Amino acid sequence: MKYTVQGFKGRKYRNLVAFTQAYIDLLKIGKNHGNLYILADDNPENMGKAVDSGCGDYFVFLNPKFSVSDLCQTLAHEMVHIKQYVKGQLKLKAKGVIWCGKMYRWEDSPSYVNRPWEIEAMKKETILHYTAQEMVS
């Protein structure tokens, strides 16, 4: 997967570049799975957000106000969602989310911490982050 990091400077930029590559490798996201854009977005409601454009481009928006450590940890979580999109496990639709073939309508969706795609991301983000730290150190 080709990737670009934009909107960050200095140490944040360098760390995000290194961690993005480590996460792609660890999650086994192949080279032919489109383009990934890691972009700064200072939306106060989100630390991070992963989006599938539906046409081979994937976006991770990260709030640049956070520390390098928090950004890299949040990136780990969002990269799990990118893997879910690439593998076809997670699909966003106008009326809800399809997770592993099951439709979860927005109005009936479980709370954030009980959504199966979030449970997977929360379970994997810490080990992914610490494994990547060893790779980039």
Side-chain angles (χ1 to χ4, degrees):
M1 173 172 269
K2 296 178 186 173
Y3 65 92
T4 302
V5 177
Q6 296 177 342
F8 299 91
K9 295 179 182 178
R11 186 169 170 245
K12 287 182 181 180
Y13 173 81
R14 289 188 304 277
N15 276 270
L16 288 171
V17 167
F19 276 83
T20 299
Q21 185 60 59
Y23 296 149
I24 288 170
D25 294 343
L26 289 166
L27 291 167
K28 298 182 176 138
I29 300 172
K31 293 180 181 180
N32 299 321
H33 283 86
N35 301 302
L36 173 63
Y37 300 91
I38 310 295
L39 305 172
D41 179 14
D42 58 1
N43 181 341
E45 295 179 19
N46 293 319
M47 281 187 74
K49 182 177 183 177
V51 177
D52 177 359
S53 71
C55 61
D57 290 332
Y58 302 91
F59 298 86
V60 172
F61 298 97
L62 297 171
N63 192 325
K65 295 177 183 174
F66 290 96
S67 70
V68 172
S69 178
D70 286 344
L71 284 170
C72 291
Q73 179 88 26
T74 301
L75 179 61
H77 179 98
E78 301 307 331
M79 287 299 296
V80 174
H81 292 314
I82 296 299
K83 187 250 341 163
Q84 293 167 343
Y85 289 135
V86 167
K87 305 270 185 194
Q89 298 169 305
L90 181 63
K91 297 175 187 173
L92 295 181
K93 300 294 181 185
K95 294 185 178 186
V97 174
I98 298 174
W99 169 250
C100 294
K102 181 178 178 184
M103 179 70 170
Y104 291 83
R105 297 174 55 86
W106 293 122
E107 62 268 13
D108 303 330
S109 182
S111 66
Y112 176 82
V113 297
N114 291 315
R115 295 173 181 163
W117 56 94
E118 295 297 348
I119 291 169
E120 180 184 31
M122 287 183 270
K123 282 182 181 177
K124 291 185 176 181
E125 74 180 60
T126 301
I127 190 72
L128 185 61
H129 177 67
Y130 286 112
T131 304
Q133 270 185 319
E134 290 178 11
M135 291 172 67
V136 302
S137 296

